[in-house]
Amino acid sequence: AQSVAQPEDQVNVAEGNPLTVKCTYSVSGNPYLFWYVQYPNRGLQFLLKYITGDNLVKGSYGFEAEFNKSQTSFHLKKPSALVSDSALYFCAVRDGGSSASKIIFGSGTRLSIRP
Amino acid sequence: GAVVSQHPSRVICKSGTSVKIECRSLDFQATTMFWYRQFPKQSLMLMATSNEGSKATYEQGVEKDKFLINHASLTLSTLTVTSAHPEDSSFYICSARPTMGPYEQYFGPGTRLTVT
């Protein structure tokens, strides 16, 4: 079984400050990890993914995430937040050990950037 | 990049009627497609997985006779909500996994269903 947890319902950050959105996961095989962003009444936009290789993954809009196997975490980060980053962020995991596995989503974290 | 479309983007139907939502992969073939449901301010919950040419696999608690899924071609999957009730009102999002390349899963823009 696979699962993903986002412990924070909401994260508030001032514009220009660094931001972190937390994510931890559990899979039986190799983890494929993803971050998506959703704006109101819109579908999901892909930000970045970790499949293998370098633990630090760089994605769209200046976001990055660090895969930490020992802590089973994949936190999303950005060095300097923008007001336009305010949205709902989902961490997702897929069990790479099975070709039939599905992407499972976390509960989401609402990111609010104040001017 | 790979694009997944959904039609319609919004639909309002009366209680007791059926509504069909289409999901298309526009520039790639998708052996596997997924249907998710999202309630307001909640996460996406996987409803079912469909493979081209075979029956869909439903997640626990999802009524297969109510949510009919057809994946008749490598670029099209449909979700039909039968005998819709107000509690079926939700945001439905489909996703397609390319036949070539096992890692990616591309998401459609979603369909807002309102049952009155």
Side-chain angles (χ1 to χ4, degrees):
Chain A
Q2 60 200 63
S3 65
V4 58
Q6 293 179 246
E8 304 154 315
D9 290 337
Q10 176 131 0
V11 170
N12 300 310
V13 176
E15 187 176 29
N17 283 1
L19 69 86
T20 299
V21 183
K22 295 180 180 178
C23 172
T24 58
Y25 66 89
S26 174
V27 295
S28 55
N30 293 324
Y32 292 173
L33 296 156
F34 307 84
W35 274 101
Y36 293 88
V37 60
Q38 185 179 37
Y39 295 96
N41 295 312
R42 301 287 293 276
L44 297 182
Q45 293 183 31
F46 170 78
L47 282 180
L48 50 81
K49 69 176 184 287
Y50 171 83
I51 303 299
T52 188
D54 195 350
N55 289 345
L56 184 63
V57 178
K58 294 187 182 295
S60 306
Y61 313 118
F63 284 94
E64 60 188 29
E66 186 166 12
F67 170 63
N68 187 317
K69 186 175 183 178
S70 62
Q71 296 185 6
T72 61
S73 66
F74 190 57
H75 302 329
L76 180 70
K77 300 183 179 185
K78 186 172 182 178
S80 179
L82 299 173
V83 173
S84 58
D85 292 330
S86 299
L88 187 57
Y89 290 80
F90 290 101
C91 181
V93 66
R94 181 187 162 198
D95 186 343
S98 169
S99 60
S101 65
K102 307 150 268 197
I103 287 184
I104 301 299
F105 287 85
S107 55
T109 298
R110 186 163 299 281
L111 180 62
S112 178
I113 309 299
R114 60 183 183 273
Chain B
V3 178
V4 176
S5 70
Q6 281 184 243
H7 179 80
S9 58
R10 289 178 172 268
V11 57
I12 300 173
C13 69
K14 292 187 176 181
S15 186
T17 62
S18 297
V19 61
K20 180 185 287 188
I21 303 170
E22 291 185 350
C23 175
R24 293 182 186 273
S25 56
L26 298 186
D27 49 5
F28 64 96
Q29 292 185 331
T31 305
T32 305
M33 290 186 172
F34 305 86
W35 287 95
Y36 293 83
R37 181 176 183 177
Q38 185 182 29
F39 290 106
K41 300 184 179 180
Q42 294 189 27
S43 186
L44 284 76
M45 301 301 296
L46 181 65
M47 298 174 65
T49 303
S50 71
N51 290 295
E52 186 263 340
S54 62
K55 290 184 178 181
T57 302
Y58 291 82
E59 296 298 303
Q60 191 172 7
V62 178
E63 299 175 60
K64 60 182 179 182
D65 293 332
K66 180 169 187 60
F67 298 100
L68 301 179
I69 293 173
N70 188 328
H71 192 161
S73 78
L74 288 173
T75 59
L76 173 64
S77 177
T78 60
L79 168 68
T80 301
V81 183
T82 63
S83 187
H85 289 109
E87 57 264 31
D88 298 326
S89 299
S90 189
F91 194 50
Y92 292 87
I93 300 176
C94 76
S95 178
R97 181 176 293 168
T99 302
M100 301 298 293
Y103 309 131
E104 303 291 348
Q105 196 168 316
Y106 300 98
F107 288 82
T111 296
R112 172 77 57 195
L113 170 63
T114 303
V115 184
T116 62

